[in-house]
PDB file of all heavy atoms in Angstrom:
ATOM      1  N   LEU B 312     123.267  66.669 116.545  1.00 92.00           N
ATOM      2  CA  LEU B 312     122.548  67.879 116.981  1.00 92.00           C
ATOM      3  C   LEU B 312     123.120  68.455 118.282  1.00 92.00           C
ATOM      4  O   LEU B 312     122.610  69.431 118.814  1.00 92.00           O
ATOM      5  CB  LEU B 312     121.055  67.606 117.134  1.00 92.00           C
ATOM      6  CG  LEU B 312     120.301  67.330 115.820  1.00 92.00           C
ATOM      7  CD1 LEU B 312     118.827  67.061 116.081  1.00 92.00           C
ATOM      8  CD2 LEU B 312     120.447  68.499 114.847  1.00 92.00           C
ATOM      9  N   VAL B 313     124.201  67.817 118.786  1.00 93.00           N
ATOM     10  CA  VAL B 313     124.898  68.411 119.938  1.00 93.00           C
ATOM     11  C   VAL B 313     126.110  69.154 119.397  1.00 93.00           C
ATOM     12  O   VAL B 313     126.953  68.568 118.725  1.00 93.00           O
ATOM     13  CB  VAL B 313     125.332  67.333 120.957  1.00 93.00           C
ATOM     14  CG1 VAL B 313     126.019  67.989 122.153  1.00 93.00           C
ATOM     15  CG2 VAL B 313     124.129  66.521 121.404  1.00 93.00           C
ATOM     16  N   GLN B 314     126.149  70.463 119.636  1.00 90.00           N
ATOM     17  CA  GLN B 314     127.226  71.265 119.044  1.00 90.00           C
ATOM     18  C   GLN B 314     128.068  71.968 120.089  1.00 90.00           C
ATOM     19  O   GLN B 314     127.557  72.387 121.127  1.00 90.00           O
ATOM     20  CB  GLN B 314     126.607  72.301 118.094  1.00 90.00           C
ATOM     21  CG  GLN B 314     125.998  71.616 116.874  1.00 90.00           C
ATOM     22  CD  GLN B 314     125.381  72.604 115.900  1.00 90.00           C
ATOM     23  OE1 GLN B 314     125.488  73.811 116.082  1.00 90.00           O
ATOM     24  NE2 GLN B 314     124.744  72.080 114.876  1.00 90.00           N
ATOM     25  N   LEU B 315     129.355  72.067 119.768  1.00 92.00           N
ATOM     26  CA  LEU B 315     130.271  72.821 120.636  1.00 92.00           C
ATOM     27  C   LEU B 315     130.430  74.209 120.043  1.00 92.00           C
ATOM     28  O   LEU B 315     130.854  74.360 118.907  1.00 92.00           O
ATOM     29  CB  LEU B 315     131.631  72.117 120.705  1.00 92.00           C
ATOM     30  CG  LEU B 315     131.646  70.866 121.584  1.00 92.00           C
ATOM     31  CD1 LEU B 315     132.920  70.069 121.360  1.00 92.00           C
ATOM     32  CD2 LEU B 315     131.487  71.243 123.053  1.00 92.00           C
ATOM     33  N   ILE B 316     130.056  75.202 120.798  1.00 90.00           N
ATOM     34  CA  ILE B 316     130.106  76.574 120.301  1.00 90.00           C
ATOM     35  C   ILE B 316     131.108  77.356 121.150  1.00 90.00           C
ATOM     36  O   ILE B 316     131.040  77.322 122.379  1.00 90.00           O
ATOM     37  CB  ILE B 316     128.706  77.226 120.373  1.00 90.00           C
ATOM     38  CG1 ILE B 316     127.709  76.405 119.529  1.00 90.00           C
ATOM     39  CG2 ILE B 316     128.745  78.675 119.893  1.00 90.00           C
ATOM     40  CD1 ILE B 316     126.280  76.867 119.597  1.00 90.00           C
ATOM     41  N   PRO B 317     132.085  78.029 120.491  1.00 92.00           N
ATOM     42  CA  PRO B 317     133.074  78.792 121.262  1.00 92.00           C
ATOM     43  C   PRO B 317     132.394  79.863 122.123  1.00 92.00           C
ATOM     44  O   PRO B 317     131.478  80.537 121.663  1.00 92.00           O
ATOM     45  CB  PRO B 317     133.946  79.454 120.189  1.00 92.00           C
ATOM     46  CG  PRO B 317     133.694  78.694 118.936  1.00 92.00           C
ATOM     47  CD  PRO B 317     132.308  78.137 119.040  1.00 92.00           C
ATOM     48  N   MET B 318     132.883  79.973 123.348  1.00 90.00           N
ATOM     49  CA  MET B 318     132.353  80.968 124.290  1.00 90.00           C
ATOM     50  C   MET B 318     132.333  82.360 123.669  1.00 90.00           C
ATOM     51  O   MET B 318     131.417  83.146 123.918  1.00 90.00           O
ATOM     52  CB  MET B 318     133.229  80.942 125.543  1.00 90.00           C
ATOM     53  CG  MET B 318     132.841  81.937 126.585  1.00 90.00           C
ATOM     54  SD  MET B 318     131.214  81.577 127.299  1.00 90.00           S
ATOM     55  CE  MET B 318     131.720  80.789 128.838  1.00 90.00           C
ATOM     56  N   LYS B 319     133.354  82.662 122.833  1.00 89.00           N
ATOM     57  CA  LYS B 319     133.425  84.029 122.294  1.00 89.00           C
ATOM     58  C   LYS B 319     132.239  84.387 121.388  1.00 89.00           C
ATOM     59  O   LYS B 319     131.877  85.552 121.266  1.00 89.00           O
ATOM     60  CB  LYS B 319     134.773  84.278 121.581  1.00 89.00           C
ATOM     61  CG  LYS B 319     135.027  83.485 120.318  1.00 89.00           C
ATOM     62  CD  LYS B 319     136.279  84.055 119.631  1.00 89.00           C
ATOM     63  CE  LYS B 319     136.447  83.513 118.213  1.00 89.00           C
ATOM     64  NZ  LYS B 319     136.975  82.129 118.169  1.00 89.00           N
ATOM     65  N   GLU B 320     131.600  83.361 120.780  1.00 87.00           N
ATOM     66  CA  GLU B 320     130.392  83.623 119.989  1.00 87.00           C
ATOM     67  C   GLU B 320     129.273  84.197 120.870  1.00 87.00           C
ATOM     68  O   GLU B 320     128.491  85.037 120.438  1.00 87.00           O
ATOM     69  CB  GLU B 320     129.885  82.336 119.319  1.00 87.00           C
ATOM     70  CG  GLU B 320     130.795  81.788 118.234  1.00 87.00           C
ATOM     71  CD  GLU B 320     130.917  82.740 117.052  1.00 87.00           C
ATOM     72  OE1 GLU B 320     129.906  83.405 116.725  1.00 87.00           O
ATOM     73  OE2 GLU B 320     132.030  82.854 116.482  1.00 87.00           O
ATOM     74  N   PHE B 321     129.184  83.674 122.082  1.00 88.00           N
ATOM     75  CA  PHE B 321     128.165  84.179 123.013  1.00 88.00           C
ATOM     76  C   PHE B 321     128.502  85.591 123.447  1.00 88.00           C
ATOM     77  O   PHE B 321     127.643  86.465 123.517  1.00 88.00           O
ATOM     78  CB  PHE B 321     128.055  83.262 124.241  1.00 88.00           C
ATOM     79  CG  PHE B 321     127.390  81.952 123.943  1.00 88.00           C
ATOM     80  CD1 PHE B 321     128.115  80.867 123.462  1.00 88.00           C
ATOM     81  CD2 PHE B 321     126.023  81.811 124.124  1.00 88.00           C
ATOM     82  CE1 PHE B 321     127.494  79.674 123.165  1.00 88.00           C
ATOM     83  CE2 PHE B 321     125.392  80.612 123.838  1.00 88.00           C
ATOM     84  CZ  PHE B 321     126.132  79.537 123.355  1.00 88.00           C
ATOM     85  N   LYS B 322     129.796  85.802 123.748  1.00 88.00           N
ATOM     86  CA  LYS B 322     130.215  87.127 124.213  1.00 88.00           C
ATOM     87  C   LYS B 322     129.944  88.187 123.160  1.00 88.00           C
ATOM     88  O   LYS B 322     129.495  89.284 123.473  1.00 88.00           O
ATOM     89  CB  LYS B 322     131.696  87.092 124.598  1.00 88.00           C
ATOM     90  CG  LYS B 322     131.903  86.337 125.902  1.00 88.00           C
ATOM     91  CD  LYS B 322     133.266  86.600 126.515  1.00 88.00           C
ATOM     92  CE  LYS B 322     133.377  85.903 127.868  1.00 88.00           C
ATOM     93  NZ  LYS B 322     134.744  85.413 128.138  1.00 88.00           N
ATOM     94  N   LYS B 323     130.213  87.831 121.884  1.00 88.00           N
ATOM     95  CA  LYS B 323     129.946  88.761 120.782  1.00 88.00           C
ATOM     96  C   LYS B 323     128.514  89.296 120.846  1.00 88.00           C
ATOM     97  O   LYS B 323     128.238  90.440 120.493  1.00 88.00           O
ATOM     98  CB  LYS B 323     130.096  88.010 119.441  1.00 88.00           C
ATOM     99  CG  LYS B 323     131.370  88.352 118.685  1.00 88.00           C
ATOM    100  CD  LYS B 323     131.285  87.765 117.278  1.00 88.00           C
ATOM    101  CE  LYS B 323     132.586  87.054 116.930  1.00 88.00           C
ATOM    102  NZ  LYS B 323     132.458  86.247 115.701  1.00 88.00           N
ATOM    103  N   GLN B 324     127.598  88.419 121.233  1.00 84.00           N
ATOM    104  CA  GLN B 324     126.189  88.821 121.263  1.00 84.00           C
ATOM    105  C   GLN B 324     125.755  89.306 122.644  1.00 84.00           C
ATOM    106  O   GLN B 324     124.556  89.443 122.922  1.00 84.00           O
ATOM    107  CB  GLN B 324     125.312  87.653 120.815  1.00 84.00           C
ATOM    108  CG  GLN B 324     125.670  87.184 119.420  1.00 84.00           C
ATOM    109  CD  GLN B 324     124.614  86.265 118.837  1.00 84.00           C
ATOM    110  OE1 GLN B 324     123.423  86.413 119.074  1.00 84.00           O
ATOM    111  NE2 GLN B 324     125.070  85.293 118.077  1.00 84.00           N
ATOM    112  N   GLY B 325     126.742  89.529 123.496  1.00 85.00           N
ATOM    113  CA  GLY B 325     126.440  90.044 124.833  1.00 85.00           C
ATOM    114  C   GLY B 325     125.707  89.040 125.712  1.00 85.00           C
ATOM    115  O   GLY B 325     124.973  89.414 126.621  1.00 85.00           O
ATOM    116  N   MET B 326     125.881  87.715 125.415  1.00 86.00           N
ATOM    117  CA  MET B 326     125.183  86.701 126.213  1.00 86.00           C
ATOM    118  C   MET B 326     126.139  86.032 127.188  1.00 86.00           C
ATOM    119  O   MET B 326     127.307  85.817 126.883  1.00 86.00           O
ATOM    120  CB  MET B 326     124.606  85.625 125.287  1.00 86.00           C
ATOM    121  CG  MET B 326     123.339  86.057 124.583  1.00 86.00           C
ATOM    122  SD  MET B 326     122.922  84.888 123.279  1.00 86.00           S
ATOM    123  CE  MET B 326     122.460  83.457 124.259  1.00 86.00           C
ATOM    124  N   LYS B 327     125.596  85.693 128.344  1.00 88.00           N
ATOM    125  CA  LYS B 327     126.386  84.971 129.339  1.00 88.00           C
ATOM    126  C   LYS B 327     125.794  83.575 129.478  1.00 88.00           C
ATOM    127  O   LYS B 327     124.816  83.386 130.194  1.00 88.00           O
ATOM    128  CB  LYS B 327     126.339  85.741 130.668  1.00 88.00           C
ATOM    129  CG  LYS B 327     127.619  85.585 131.468  1.00 88.00           C
ATOM    130  CD  LYS B 327     127.633  86.388 132.722  1.00 88.00           C
ATOM    131  CE  LYS B 327     128.543  85.710 133.726  1.00 88.00           C
ATOM    132  NZ  LYS B 327     127.972  85.541 135.035  1.00 88.00           N
ATOM    133  N   PRO B 328     126.364  82.603 128.767  1.00 89.00           N
ATOM    134  CA  PRO B 328     125.765  81.262 128.792  1.00 89.00           C
ATOM    135  C   PRO B 328     125.839  80.608 130.167  1.00 89.00           C
ATOM    136  O   PRO B 328     126.816  80.793 130.887  1.00 89.00           O
ATOM    137  CB  PRO B 328     126.602  80.473 127.782  1.00 89.00           C
ATOM    138  CG  PRO B 328     127.858  81.234 127.615  1.00 89.00           C
ATOM    139  CD  PRO B 328     127.591  82.657 127.969  1.00 89.00           C
ATOM    140  N   GLN B 329     124.780  79.889 130.516  1.00 90.00           N
ATOM    141  CA  GLN B 329     124.738  79.150 131.771  1.00 90.00           C
ATOM    142  C   GLN B 329     124.124  77.783 131.511  1.00 90.00           C
ATOM    143  O   GLN B 329     123.235  77.662 130.669  1.00 90.00           O
ATOM    144  CB  GLN B 329     123.879  79.901 132.799  1.00 90.00           C
ATOM    145  CG  GLN B 329     124.636  81.073 133.421  1.00 90.00           C
ATOM    146  CD  GLN B 329     123.768  81.869 134.380  1.00 90.00           C
ATOM    147  OE1 GLN B 329     122.582  82.026 134.131  1.00 90.00           O
ATOM    148  NE2 GLN B 329     124.363  82.365 135.450  1.00 90.00           N
ATOM    149  N   VAL B 330     124.581  76.783 132.252  1.00 93.00           N
ATOM    150  CA  VAL B 330     124.052  75.433 132.055  1.00 93.00           C
ATOM    151  C   VAL B 330     122.537  75.444 132.317  1.00 93.00           C
ATOM    152  O   VAL B 330     122.068  76.034 133.288  1.00 93.00           O
ATOM    153  CB  VAL B 330     124.771  74.422 132.982  1.00 93.00           C
ATOM    154  CG1 VAL B 330     124.088  73.053 132.910  1.00 93.00           C
ATOM    155  CG2 VAL B 330     126.244  74.305 132.595  1.00 93.00           C
ATOM    156  N   GLY B 331     121.774  74.831 131.402  1.00 91.00           N
ATOM    157  CA  GLY B 331     120.321  74.738 131.553  1.00 91.00           C
ATOM    158  C   GLY B 331     119.571  75.799 130.760  1.00 91.00           C
ATOM    159  O   GLY B 331     118.364  75.689 130.549  1.00 91.00           O
ATOM    160  N   MET B 332     120.320  76.830 130.314  1.00 91.00           N
ATOM    161  CA  MET B 332     119.713  77.933 129.558  1.00 91.00           C
ATOM    162  C   MET B 332     119.282  77.456 128.157  1.00 91.00           C
ATOM    163  O   MET B 332     119.957  76.651 127.536  1.00 91.00           O
ATOM    164  CB  MET B 332     120.807  78.993 129.400  1.00 91.00           C
ATOM    165  CG  MET B 332     120.354  80.372 129.048  1.00 91.00           C
ATOM    166  SD  MET B 332     121.859  81.361 128.731  1.00 91.00           S
ATOM    167  CE  MET B 332     121.631  82.669 129.911  1.00 91.00           C
ATOM    168  N   SER B 333     118.153  77.947 127.695  1.00 90.00           N
ATOM    169  CA  SER B 333     117.714  77.642 126.330  1.00 90.00           C
ATOM    170  C   SER B 333     118.144  78.762 125.404  1.00 90.00           C
ATOM    171  O   SER B 333     118.020  79.935 125.739  1.00 90.00           O
ATOM    172  CB  SER B 333     116.186  77.528 126.273  1.00 90.00           C
ATOM    173  OG  SER B 333     115.785  76.319 126.848  1.00 90.00           O
TER     174      SER B 333
END
Side-chain angles (χ1 to χ4, degrees):
Chain B
L312 292 180
V313 181
Q314 292 180 5
L315 285 168
I316 301 175
M318 178 66 101
K319 66 170 192 283
E320 292 296 324
F321 287 86
K322 287 196 176 146
K323 254 191 226 169
Q324 301 194 35
M326 282 168 69
K327 212 177 153 229
Q329 282 177 324
V330 172
M332 198 187 237
S333 285

